[in-house]
Structures are given as structure tokens and as C-alpha cells.
């Protein structure tokens, strides 16, 4: 009750309403672009059309159907072939503008949403996109689609048709304020087409969509070629101006990234997104790069880094004490690792929403945050309340004795002491040992270095390398002591936070609450961010959630880079303006005169 009252005091008496048809919608506040906008700010509206661009993909594919969990679908079919009712703007946190739908309408309570379709919207075979197709899309994806589709679309309790081109989705209540936008991003499929083919089939049937491209050809596991539809109905819309500029888009598949890099050096594809910091620093000194035929660029993102870290399974007795978790975090030497393994390119992660205004790092809790956290006086440490999480900084030698002594002192306070070179529980002499579960060589190298640091204080950390299928099974059942995991984030965190951290997901197989968080404070902060009706209250709720999670020391934060590392042929044109989210390849073009 106390939390509910505090939360209500934070909510303003009024919020932006979309109770009349509007050209766009924002999660909080109003969208930036007016109804008569001509194009997004991050495109070149005069970009030339034509040519082919080739990308590399690592791995394989055995399906052309991205709408089912069966099989492995070829890359980018969802984005190129299928469309949604609304299109996302990538220079705003979370705003949508009309695509198949010419307008959106939802009351301030957001207990329903209504879309009016554009009469000119067409599938690639020339058939119109109708309300029947939209209703069929929701029902089919809700019953047979991917788990995320089934989860969100199940919240629609009824469907109404106020007019021939209008459809209304009604919800049980307005508790999920993100739902109108989620439905705006629902893929729209053809009822006529999928009455002949099952949406659950993982095969090589060429899909029919309303998007700018169609699949021209596909060689299983090797190559897929997309061809721009010359009759694409939406090419002149403001949300599409300056986008979809290539006549053909090709994805060539390679067995591993090393082979793919050699293929790039040989000129076999046009654009490479570099994941390896060592290769980025040292690997681009080859003839085409030296001669200017290949351009390298670090494109900065302004979106949250997400959280990558060593994850404690707090359900394990050995990690149930927050003091133990904090102490082990002091033994991870980021400074040495960054210098010796990664050429110093990484930044230490200090927040679940680092690299954005949603982060609590370096900020004292605001009045709004303190009001949200008042019912939970023990949930946030005084230090994190005053300035956010401050990661330990070592001397960079890999053997920082000051941090080691501090860690040992905390472990002693938690009931552990060193005997015969081993850290043991004072109460019963049980040695401190656990297992780190990993799947790939990069994580193995990092885990080995961390295990060596732990060994110096008498902790035995054994590495267990397993294949992907075994790893996923153990992840789903929480059968591990420690893992390395990444949780992505955005400028508009929402319902996924329930899957990541909520108490209800701690014991539920298949969720991503791997650390086993069971915290009334975490649950309350997630509720606050989901109910927030303006950006100020939303930011306060997210930062408060950040502080609670960081105070629990559920992970040992690792590192991130705010840049996307991209290399491309000088025949490729790139807009001058970047998005909040980094590069957008659908805005690039082929230079006619490089």
C-alpha cells in the first residue's frame, strides 16, 4: 500500500493522449516528427537507387520462415519481406509512425488501440492488405507463432471493426502501456497465402509479404538473395524515404568468422561488422584498406550497453550471501584484462543501462527515485544511492594486493577463512569451490583468468565447457553455479524486465532471471517503469531498478564498447547523420561514381 501511494504521488494528473487518430505514437510523451514530416533525419532522401550489396553471415540456415521457432531462418527476412502496421524511428527512444496503418488511436488509459489501414497497402502479389489480414495475423501468431508473439498477443481479449479499414484491439486493462506499440510492430501476413501454407513449417517456401523486398533465390546454408520489388507500394512514404536503396541484397554464409574475414579481405563481400577487438586494432592493414578501397569506421551508439557479466546463481547456497558476491567482484581485474587481452578498447560496465541517460552511474538518486525506494530501505546501499555503482579499479598488474585484502576481509565477515591454502567455511570447514559453465573459447579464456585470480585467495573455480544444446538445457533449468551472460537493453525497457529480473520468473523455466532474483524492491521498480506516463517518471523508475540490481551484486559486470566497428567498400554510401542506435544498413546505398 505504501508503495502504491508513493507511486501515485509521482504520476502526473494528465498524460499525452492519442484518443483521436494520430500519425504516430511515443511510449512516453509525443513523437518528435510532425504529421507532415518528409523523411527521418538519419537518411539521405536523395540516395540513388540501384546496385547490389553483399554481406557475410556466419553459420547456416535451413528455413525461409522467421515466424516459427522451428529450424534456423535465413537472416533479415522479417525486416525485408514482412512489414508492420507502424515503423520505428531510430532517433527517438521508442516512437512509431504509420506504415501499413495511416493512423493509430488509443485512449490515455491505453486499454485498447485502433489502427486505420492505408487503402494503397499491398502484398507483393498485388493483393490489398486488409483488416482480415491484420486479424488473421494476430490470431495466427497468438496461437502458432514464436513465444514472444504468443505472450504479447494473448493480452488482446477482443477484436472490433469500427469501419471497413479500421481494426481495434481491446485489452483486459491498461496495465501494459507498451502493448499498443507492440501491436504496432506486429508482422502482418497474408491470410490468403498462409491459408495454403502453415506458419509453423520450417521449409524453403518463398514467403509473401508487403515489404520492399522479395526472396529471389536461396541455396540452403550457403546464400540468400533478396530482390527489391519495383512495384513496392510504400516506397514514397515518409518513413521509407531514403531507405531500401539496393536492387539486390545478398547474404553469403561462412563456416566461421575467420574464414569470413579472409573473404572480406579478398573482396567477396561489401560490409563487415567486426566483433573482435584484436582484429579491429591489428587486422585491417591489408592492401585494399591501405589503398583506400576499404573504409573503417567506429560508429557510436547512444543506447544502453546492456549487462554482460559473470552471473551468480544466488539460489546456490555458496552464492546466497550478497557479501560473498561482492567480494568475488573485487577479484576480477578489468584493467589488466582490458590492456593485455583487448588492447584497451573496452569500457567497464557500471550499470545495467550504461552508456545512456537511464544509467544510475555517477548520479545521486533524485527525489522521485528516493520516493520510489522509500518502502524498501535496505534495497540500495548508501554508496549506490549517492553515486551509483563504482567498479573496483586495480593497479593493472593482475595481482592487486589491496583489492585482494579487501575481498578476504569481506569473506571473513561472511564466515569464510583460509586454511592450508584453501578458503573454507568457518562453521563446518567446507571448501569454497564452484563451477563456471561456458560454451566458447573467448569466454573460456576470460574464465580461466578469473579462476586464476580466485585461486590466489583459496577459491577453486572449475571450468565446464559444454555444447550449445547442453548449455541451453542447463540454463533453462538453472543447473549451474556461474555463467557469463548478456542481457540487452534499449532506451525504452519494458515488459522484458519481468522476464529478466522479476520474482515470478526466478523459478520459471525459459525465463532469463538466471541469477534467481527474488526482490520485492525489484518487482516494485519494474511495476513503476511499466506504469510511468512520462519520460521523467520512467527514467526515475529505471534508475531505481538499476540501483536495486546493482546493490544485490548478482553479477560481476564485465565491459562494453559504445562503438560499432564497421568496414565497408568505398563504393558504399553512408548518411552523414547517425541514429541513436548506431548504423542502419537500410539507409546505405551504392555510389554510382566512387
Amino acid at each position: 500500500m505504501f508503495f502504491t501511494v508513493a507511486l501515485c504521488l509521482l504520476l502526473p494528473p494528465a498524460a499525452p493522449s492519442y484518443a483521436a487518430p494520430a500519425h504516430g505514437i511515443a511510449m512516453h510523451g509525443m513523437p518528435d516528427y510532425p504529421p507532415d514530416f518528409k523523411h527521418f533525419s538519419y537518411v539521405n532522401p536523395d540516395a540513388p537507387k540501384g546496385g547490389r550489396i553483399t554481406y557475410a553471415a556466419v553459420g547456416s540456415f535451413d528455413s525461409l520462415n522467421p515466424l516459427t521457432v522451428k529450424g534456423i531462418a535465413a537472416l533479415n527476412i522479417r525486416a525485408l519481406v514482412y512489414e508492420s502496421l507502424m515503423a520505428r524511428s531510430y532517433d527517438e527512444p521508442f516512437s512509431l509512425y504509420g506504415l501499413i496503418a495511416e493512423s493509430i488511436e488509443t485512449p490515455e488509459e491505453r486499454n485498447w488501440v485502433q489502427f486505420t489501414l492505408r487503402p494503397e497497402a499491398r502484398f507483393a502479389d498485388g493483393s490489398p492488405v486488409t483488416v482480415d489480414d491484420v486479424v488473421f495475423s494476430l490470431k495466427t501468431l497468438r496461437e502458432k507463432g514464436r513465444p514472444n508473439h504468443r505472450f504479447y498477443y494473448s493480452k488482446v481479449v477482443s477484436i472490433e471493426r469500427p469501419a471497413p479499414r479500421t481494426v481495434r484491439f481491446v485489452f483486459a486493462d491498461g496495465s501494459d502501456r507498451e502493448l499498443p506499440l507492440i501491436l504496432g510492430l506486429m508482422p502482418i501476413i497474408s491470410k490468403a497465402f498462409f491459408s495454403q501454407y502453415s506458419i509453423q513449417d520450417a521449409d524453403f517456401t518463398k514467403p509473401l509479404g508487403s515489404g520492399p523486398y522479395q526472396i529471389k533465390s536461396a541455396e540452403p546454408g550457403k546464400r540468400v538473395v533478396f530482390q527489391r520489388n519495383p512495384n513496392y507500394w510504400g516506397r514514397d512514404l515518409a518513413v521509407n524515404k531514403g531507405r531500401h536503396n539496393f536492387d539486390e541484397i545478398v547474404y553469403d554464409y561462412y563456416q566461421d568468422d575467420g574464414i569470413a574475414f579472409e573473404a572480406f579481405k579478398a573482396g567477396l563481400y561489401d560490409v563487415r561488422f567486426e566483433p573482435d577487438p584484436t582484429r579491429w586494432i591489428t587486422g585491417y592493414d591489408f592492401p585494399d584498406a591501405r589503398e583506400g578501397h576499404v573504409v573503417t569506421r567506429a560508429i557510436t551508439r547512444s543506447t544502453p550497453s546492456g549487462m554482460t557479466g559473470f552471473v551468480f546463481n544466488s539460489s546456490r547456497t555458496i552464492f546466497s550471501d550478497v557479501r560473498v558476491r561482492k567480494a568475488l567482484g573485487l577479484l576480477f581485474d578489468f584493467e589488466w584484462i582490458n590492456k593485455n587481452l583487448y588492447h584497451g578498447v573496452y569500457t567497464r560496465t557500471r550499470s545495467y543501462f550504461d552508456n545512456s541517460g537511464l544509467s544510475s552511474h555517477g548520479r545521486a538518486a533524485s527525489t522521485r527515485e528516493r520516493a520510489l525506494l522509500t518502502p524498501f530501505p535496505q534495497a540500495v546501499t548508501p554508496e549506490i544511492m549517492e553515486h551509483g555503482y563504482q567498479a573496483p579499479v586495480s593497479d593493472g598488474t593482475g595481482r592487486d594486493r589491496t583489492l585482494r585484502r579487501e575481498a578476504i576481509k569481506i569473506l571473513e565477515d561472511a564466515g569464510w577463512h583460509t586454511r592450508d591454502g584453501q578458503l573454507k567455511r568457518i562453521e563446518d570447514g567446507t571448501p569454497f569451490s564452484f563451477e563456471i559453465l561456458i560454451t566458447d573459447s573467448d569466454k573460456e579464456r576470460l574464465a580461466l583468468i578469473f579462476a586464476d585470480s580466485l585461486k590466489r585467495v583459496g577459491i577453486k573455480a572449475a571450468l565446464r565447457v559444454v555444447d550449445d544444446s547442453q548449455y541451453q538445457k542447463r540454463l533453462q533449468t538453472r543447473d549451474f553455479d556461474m555463467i557469463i551472460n548478456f542481457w540487452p537493453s534499449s532506451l525504452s525497457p519494458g515488459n522484458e524486465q519481468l522476464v529478466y529480473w522479476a520474482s515470478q520468473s526466478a523459478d520459471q523455466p525459459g525465463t532469463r532471471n538466471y541469477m534467481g532474483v527474488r526482490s520485492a524492491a525489484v518487482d516494485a521498480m519494474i511495476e513503476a517503469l511499466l506504469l510511468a506516463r512520462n519520460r521523467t517518471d520512467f527514467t526515475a523508475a529505471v534508475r531505481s531498478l538499476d540501483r536495486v540490481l546493482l546493490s544485490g551484486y548478482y553479477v560481476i559486470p564485465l565491459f562494453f564498447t559504445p562503438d560499432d566497428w564497421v568496414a565497408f567498400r568505398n563504393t558504399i554510401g553512408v548518411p552523414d547523420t547517425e541514429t541513436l542506435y548506431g548504423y542502419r544498413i537500410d539507409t546505405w546505398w551504392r555510389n554510382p561514381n566512387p
Side-chain angles (χ1 to χ4, degrees):
M1 177 64 73
F2 190 102
F3 168 71
T4 303
V5 172
L7 177 60
C8 290
L9 290 173
L10 288 177
L11 297 178
S17 176
Y18 300 90
H23 72 294
I25 185 173
M27 181 63 197
H28 302 102
M30 300 298 290
D32 287 349
Y33 290 96
D36 60 348
F37 81 101
K38 304 302 181 185
H39 58 80
F40 290 132
S41 66
Y42 50 84
V43 306
N44 172 9
D46 301 316
K49 305 288 186 182
R52 166 188 280 205
I53 189 168
T54 302
Y55 301 104
V58 175
S60 186
F61 69 96
D62 57 12
S63 169
L64 298 181
N65 182 3
L67 303 176
T68 178
V69 294
K70 295 180 180 179
I72 301 173
L75 288 177
N76 233 16
I77 295 175
R78 167 66 180 89
L80 296 175
V81 174
Y82 294 105
E83 288 186 309
S84 305
L85 295 165
M86 311 287 286
R88 188 164 188 168
S89 162
Y90 286 92
D91 54 0
E92 300 172 73
F94 193 11
S95 293
L96 307 180
Y97 298 87
L99 183 54
I100 289 176
E102 65 183 15
S103 67
I104 182 173
E105 183 176 352
T106 187
E108 192 273 330
E109 295 82 5
R110 293 195 178 180
N111 56 351
W112 55 264
V113 64
Q114 180 170 296
F115 301 95
T116 297
L117 308 189
R118 297 183 191 273
E120 68 269 29
R122 293 286 186 276
F123 291 107
D125 64 356
S127 61
V129 181
T130 66
V131 168
D132 280 348
D133 295 306
V134 176
V135 173
F136 175 83
S137 299
L138 182 131
K139 290 182 176 179
T140 303
L141 294 168
R142 181 171 61 186
E143 296 169 7
K144 303 176 181 179
R146 303 180 70 87
N148 60 315
H149 293 151
R150 298 186 189 200
F151 172 75
Y152 288 121
Y153 306 157
S154 66
K155 297 184 179 184
V156 176
V157 298
S158 65
I159 302 172
E160 301 171 0
R161 305 186 185 208
R165 289 190 290 112
T166 302
V167 59
R168 176 182 293 182
F169 299 112
V170 181
F171 319 133
D173 54 44
S175 59
D176 187 347
R177 298 187 60 78
E178 191 179 26
L179 194 53
L181 286 83
I182 291 172
L183 288 171
L185 293 175
M186 175 176 65
I188 303 303
I189 61 178
S190 166
K191 180 179 179 180
F193 181 84
F194 280 102
S195 295
Q196 303 175 59
Y197 302 98
S198 171
I199 198 173
Q200 294 178 305
D201 288 343
D203 58 24
F204 283 89
T205 301
K206 292 182 180 180
L208 174 69
S210 63
Y213 287 88
Q214 301 168 274
I215 293 179
K216 179 181 179 180
S217 62
E219 299 176 60
K222 295 181 179 180
R223 165 179 280 206
V224 61
V225 180
F226 296 90
Q227 185 175 48
R228 187 153 55 91
N229 180 2
N231 300 314
Y232 172 48
W233 73 272
R235 60 184 176 275
D236 295 323
L237 295 178
V239 294
N240 286 326
K241 196 72 174 175
R243 300 172 60 212
H244 316 309
N245 300 313
F246 297 99
D247 286 341
E248 287 190 350
I249 298 174
V250 180
Y251 285 90
D252 282 330
Y253 282 71
Y254 295 87
Q255 291 181 348
D256 62 57
D257 194 55
I259 296 174
F261 181 61
E262 294 303 317
F264 181 71
K265 289 164 62 177
L268 298 183
Y269 60 95
D270 298 301
V271 180
R272 176 173 173 80
F273 310 107
E274 183 55 65
D276 186 331
T278 298
R279 187 182 290 137
W280 180 250
I281 297 297
T282 66
Y284 283 81
D285 185 24
F286 53 87
D288 274 1
R290 288 195 298 268
E291 296 167 10
H293 302 304
V294 167
V295 179
T296 57
R297 182 176 296 181
I299 299 177
T300 300
R301 300 183 309 276
S302 299
T303 53
S305 63
M307 174 58 75
T308 302
F310 284 100
V311 183
F312 298 101
N313 184 348
S314 65
S315 299
R316 296 284 207 252
T317 301
I318 200 168
F319 293 140
S320 61
D321 191 325
V322 66
R323 293 172 295 178
V324 170
R325 301 196 296 265
K326 180 179 180 180
L328 267 60
L330 295 172
L331 300 172
F332 178 76
D333 194 334
F334 166 74
E335 283 68 31
W336 186 92
I337 289 172
N338 192 35
K339 176 183 177 181
N340 290 278
L341 266 62
Y342 304 119
H343 300 272
V345 301
Y346 282 118
T347 298
R348 186 74 191 268
T349 304
R350 300 147 302 181
S351 163
Y352 285 77
F353 308 94
D354 215 334
N355 197 50
S356 78
L358 298 176
S359 169
S360 64
H361 173 70
R363 296 182 170 99
S366 66
T367 301
R368 293 171 187 266
E369 290 176 65
R370 293 178 189 273
L372 287 171
L373 293 166
T374 294
F376 312 99
Q378 305 304 317
V380 177
T381 68
E383 297 80 14
I384 291 177
M385 186 73 84
E386 290 306 317
H387 49 63
Y389 171 70
Q390 303 294 319
V393 179
S394 76
D395 59 13
T397 63
R399 297 175 177 270
D400 190 302
R401 294 184 178 182
T402 301
L403 290 177
R404 192 188 310 170
R405 284 194 295 268
E406 185 179 348
I408 291 172
K409 176 63 169 61
I410 295 174
L411 288 167
E412 288 176 347
D413 292 343
W416 298 85
H417 65 173
T418 303
R419 290 293 182 270
D420 304 322
Q422 282 188 307
L423 189 70
K424 297 181 179 181
R425 186 181 286 115
I426 296 173
E427 182 180 58
D428 57 14
T430 301
F432 197 124
S433 64
F434 65 94
E435 181 181 87
I436 305 176
L437 189 68
I438 52 179
T439 58
D440 61 62
S441 58
D442 286 342
K443 291 178 181 177
E444 183 178 11
R445 178 173 61 165
L446 195 61
L448 282 169
I449 295 171
F450 183 44
D452 186 60
S453 296
L454 296 174
K455 184 178 179 180
R456 297 192 187 106
V457 298
I459 296 174
K460 181 182 179 181
L463 272 62
R464 175 66 63 89
V465 182
V466 297
D467 60 35
D468 286 342
S469 60
Q470 187 178 356
Y471 184 79
Q472 288 302 320
K473 182 177 180 179
R474 291 185 63 174
L475 218 58
Q476 290 176 1
T477 57
R478 310 294 196 276
D479 181 20
F480 62 86
D481 298 328
M482 177 179 280
I483 58 172
I484 299 175
N485 192 64
F486 170 63
W487 288 271
S489 189
S490 73
L491 289 169
S492 186
N495 284 283
E496 76 286 348
Q497 304 300 302
L498 293 168
V499 179
Y500 291 173
W501 332 114
S503 299
Q504 68 190 46
S505 66
D507 299 310
Q508 185 177 346
T511 64
R512 301 191 66 187
N513 186 349
Y514 301 130
M515 63 270 278
V517 180
R518 295 173 181 84
S519 164
V522 166
D523 296 340
M525 297 312 109
I526 295 174
E527 179 187 4
L529 73 87
L530 293 176
L531 291 175
R533 301 190 182 189
N534 61 58
R535 193 70 187 177
T536 300
D537 287 345
F538 176 75
T539 300
V542 176
R543 289 180 184 168
S544 298
L545 172 63
D546 192 33
R547 294 182 199 275
V548 177
L549 290 171
L550 291 165
S551 297
Y553 293 93
Y554 298 106
V555 304
I556 300 173
L558 294 182
F559 37 77
F560 71 97
T561 171
D563 297 329
D564 293 317
W565 300 321
V566 185
F568 51 91
R569 304 284 155 188
N570 65 351
T571 55
I572 302 299
V574 179
D576 295 331
T577 303
E578 296 164 0
T579 77
L580 291 174
Y581 293 78
Y583 61 82
R584 293 294 305 171
I585 58 178
D586 61 355
T587 67
W588 296 6
W589 63 90
R590 175 71 66 180
N591 281 321
N593 300 301

